[in-house]
Amino acid sequence: MARIGVLRTLEGGCLGFHCPGCNDMHVVRVVPDGGLPCWGFNQNHERPTFTPSVLIRGTWSDPPVTPENIAEWRRAPWPQRKVERVCHSFVTDGQIQFLGDCTHALAGQTVPLTASED
C-alpha cells in the first residue's frame, strides 16, 4: 500500500482515501475487474474525482475498540451495541461533499480530502 498524493494505491485496481467523517479509509475500485463495481477516476492523485457517488453502509460497534483503547478493552471489555452507519459522498476535485443521509457529524458539509496520518 503506497501513498500517492491524498490517495493510497491498493491491490486489485483499488484506491483508498481517508474519510474524516468516519475516521476510516474508504476504498473504490478504479480498474475494471470482471463485473465488480468500478468508479470513474480523473487520474489526479492530489485532487481526485470519483464517479458516481461513494456509498458506504455497515454496522459498527459503539463505543468502538480502537488501537488507542484496545489494551484497556482486553483487560475489561465494555458492552458494545451495534450501530447502523451510512457514509454517502461525492468526491470531486479533491473535496468530499457529504450527503444528507450520512449518519456522522459531517453530513451536509464539504471538506477537502487530506492524506491520512498513518
Side-chain angles (χ1 to χ4, degrees):
M1 179 167 63
R3 182 180 309 167
I4 302 174
V6 297
L7 302 176
R8 298 257 183 188
T9 58
L10 307 169
E11 293 181 11
C14 295
L15 295 172
F17 63 91
H18 176 73
C19 172
C22 297
N23 195 28
D24 203 358
M25 181 169 44
H26 293 334
V27 177
V28 294
R29 178 180 310 283
V30 296
V31 176
D33 186 9
L36 294 172
C38 186
W39 278 257
F41 173 49
N42 68 346
Q43 302 299 315
N44 186 331
H45 288 79
E46 296 293 334
R47 297 174 63 92
T49 295
F50 299 114
T51 54
S53 65
V54 178
L55 174 60
I56 307 294
R57 293 180 186 269
T59 303
W60 283 262
S61 296
D62 186 48
V65 177
T66 65
E68 292 79 24
N69 66 23
I70 194 165
E72 176 187 348
W73 183 82
R74 285 181 176 153
R75 283 191 303 273
W78 52 80
Q80 294 181 301
R81 62 188 174 92
K82 297 294 183 185
V83 177
E84 293 294 319
R85 295 198 180 165
V86 174
C87 183
H88 193 189
S89 64
F90 287 109
V91 177
T92 306
D93 198 28
Q95 302 282 314
I96 307 175
Q97 176 189 0
F98 292 107
L99 303 179
D101 58 341
C102 291
T103 56
H104 54 64
L106 293 181
Q109 298 181 48
T110 300
V111 300
L113 268 174
T114 58
S116 63
E117 296 183 16
D118 56 335

